[in-house]
Amino acid sequence: QRLVRVNCPACVAPEPPAPDLLALLKPHQREGNWSLGKGCDACGHTGVRGRRAIHDMLTISPEVRERLASGVALQEVEAQARREGKGSLFEHALQLAQDGVISLDEALRVTAAED
C-alpha cells in the first residue's frame, strides 16, 4: 500500500493531463474526469489536502493457495490472482485519478515501478 495526495476539494477543477502523461497510458485508460487542485487558502495553495491509501491485496483463494503450496513461480501466483479479478496498485491509483480524486501525475508518481 502507499499514500497518495488527494486533490483539495475546495479548489479542485477539471484539468486534462499533459499529453506526455496520457501517452504513458494504454488507449483504454486515457478517458476520465481528470482533475487537479489549483491551490487556495484551504490547502495552503498546494492544491492537495489530505492523503488516501491505495492498495494491492492478494486474496488467498483455494486456487492461489494451491499454487503457493506447490512452490510455483511468483508470476504464476500473480497470474492466477489476476484471473480471479485482482487489480494492481497502479490500477487502483489510476481509477482514483480517472475519478478526479487525485491527479494523474500523482498516480504515476507513486506507482512508477508498477505495471
Side-chain angles (χ1 to χ4, degrees):
Q1 75 181 16
R2 296 197 185 128
L3 291 177
V4 293
R5 298 176 292 198
V6 175
N7 288 330
C8 174
C11 64
V12 67
E15 176 86 17
D20 59 324
L21 291 181
L22 282 177
L24 298 173
L25 304 177
K26 296 173 184 169
H28 70 277
Q29 297 173 328
R30 294 180 184 164
E31 297 298 319
N33 295 321
W34 310 107
S35 298
L36 185 64
K38 297 297 186 179
C40 66
D41 289 338
C43 62
H45 300 281
T46 62
V48 296
R49 189 162 184 203
R51 305 251 184 302
R52 182 168 177 172
I54 59 171
H55 58 276
D56 176 358
M57 188 168 70
L58 176 64
T59 302
I60 307 297
S61 68
E63 292 81 10
V64 169
R65 183 182 312 276
E66 181 181 311
R67 281 170 177 71
L68 288 169
S70 68
V72 299
L74 181 58
Q75 292 84 357
E76 176 57 31
V77 175
E78 178 74 16
Q80 177 61 38
R82 299 281 287 175
R83 285 191 292 273
E84 295 175 10
K86 178 190 170 291
S88 70
L89 199 63
F90 171 72
E91 289 166 339
H92 188 194
L94 180 60
Q95 186 61 57
L96 290 175
Q98 289 171 319
D99 293 343
V101 176
I102 66 174
S103 68
L104 178 58
D105 185 52
E106 179 70 357
L108 294 172
R109 182 187 72 80
V110 299
T111 62
E114 301 295 317
D115 278 359

